[in-house]
Amino acid sequence: MNWTVNDVIQWIEKANEKIQTNKQYLTQLDQAVGDGDHGINMSRGFRILVEKLQDTEYTSVTQALKDVAMTIISNVGGAAGPLYGTAFLRFSLVTDNKKELDETTLSKGMVAAVSGMKQRGRAAVGEKTLIDVWEPVAVYMEEVEMIVPDQIIKIAEQAMESTKEIKATKGRAAYLKDRSIGHIDPGAMSSYYILTAFAEVLQGVDAS
Ligand code: ADP
Ligand code: MG
């Protein structure tokens, strides 16, 4: 497999499409357990991000991922901005200025992304945050012999849905205590879009 700069761009473009389409839904989810800005923050930041990627020439995957990270940090508001920014930054750091990434490096990148977000948010799995969706995907990618993109989508979907039953102990939703139960976490939903977009690009990449 070779994951190129163009695949990074495709990934972000597909994620952006899903975020724009579901902007209202992300807002609704954040209205239930937070302050209602997640849809606006993500839609604004990702629109700027897509423009930035279209306007820039990258010579390595590392450089592209780093620019994604910096653009997210500067343009996505709320708690999610620095967390997603950290994810892409940490991902970039394991890619050694490579022009193309193989499957092992992609998995390493995903694992690094998750551990960066856990550090940054001081969060673990089971606290009703975006970590709940990223971590099982990273664990799957790291452990499996050959990554099946459909599996990533399935794992992310189940994980996203499971946040509904969890009581929040991190982020704004934690203020609601037991009343946070019964709602899907907004960050889990946007993570589901980002990771589904990733899997969709992976589907199109030559598996050899
Ligand atoms: P804010 O709460 O500042 O308005 P957003 O609405 O942009 O931030 O994002 C909220 C999402 O961020 C939550 O749904 C959750 O998934 C994630 N989040 C918040 N705090 C943390 C944290 N400490 N660790 C991991 N994820 C977090
Ligand atoms: Mg919010």
Side-chain angles (χ1 to χ4, degrees):
M1 172 202 292
N2 29 23
W3 178 274
T4 63
V5 168
N6 189 45
D7 295 316
V8 175
I9 296 171
Q10 292 283 317
W11 176 12
I12 298 301
E13 284 180 351
K14 278 183 190 288
N16 178 53
E17 281 165 26
K18 294 176 199 295
I19 288 162
Q20 302 306 337
T21 307
N22 296 289
K23 178 180 171 185
Q24 277 304 111
Y25 183 45
L26 289 175
T27 294
Q28 269 172 33
L29 292 176
D30 199 29
Q31 276 166 347
V33 295
D35 57 357
D37 64 351
H38 193 55
I40 295 159
N41 292 342
M42 292 296 288
S43 114
R44 181 182 170 274
F46 269 69
R47 184 170 294 131
I48 294 170
L49 176 57
V50 164
E51 282 166 15
K52 180 82 206 299
L53 292 175
Q54 283 164 354
D55 288 349
T56 317
E57 288 284 327
Y58 300 101
T59 55
S60 69
V61 172
T62 308
Q63 207 185 45
L65 288 169
K66 226 173 242 176
D67 202 28
V68 169
M70 294 312 168
T71 311
I72 288 178
I73 290 169
S74 320
N75 295 288
V76 177
L83 288 163
Y84 284 144
T86 301
F88 282 94
L89 189 62
R90 291 295 189 88
F91 199 134
S92 79
L93 294 177
V94 302
T95 58
D96 289 334
N97 273 321
K98 285 183 184 144
K99 277 200 164 48
E100 297 178 347
L101 307 186
D102 56 18
E103 200 167 297
T104 309
T105 313
L106 271 187
S107 305
K108 262 182 24 191
M110 202 53 91
V111 170
V114 173
S115 82
M117 285 191 288
K118 284 166 88 172
Q119 255 175 20
R120 176 96 213 189
R122 295 197 175 84
V125 154
E127 300 204 81
K128 199 186 186 91
T129 72
L130 40 83
I131 304 292
D132 290 345
V133 180
W134 285 74
E135 171 135 310
V137 168
V139 168
Y140 165 73
M141 286 178 62
E142 193 185 25
E143 287 179 353
V144 79
E145 210 154 291
M146 214 187 92
I147 299 167
V148 178
D150 278 349
Q151 271 308 107
I152 294 181
I153 297 174
K154 214 157 144 192
I155 291 166
E157 186 176 7
Q158 277 173 7
M160 172 274 286
E161 278 168 358
S162 78
T163 64
K164 194 169 175 177
E165 312 311 327
I166 300 173
K167 176 171 135 181
T169 47
K170 284 279 148 50
R172 270 179 218 282
Y175 296 122
L176 296 179
K177 301 197 170 77
D178 283 341
R179 281 182 293 127
S180 67
I181 299 169
H183 305 277
I184 291 170
D185 175 61
M189 185 57 77
S190 59
S191 294
Y192 169 67
Y193 299 144
I194 294 170
L195 293 168
T196 304
F198 174 75
E200 285 170 6
V201 177
L202 212 52
Q203 271 162 348
V205 176
D206 184 0
S208 58

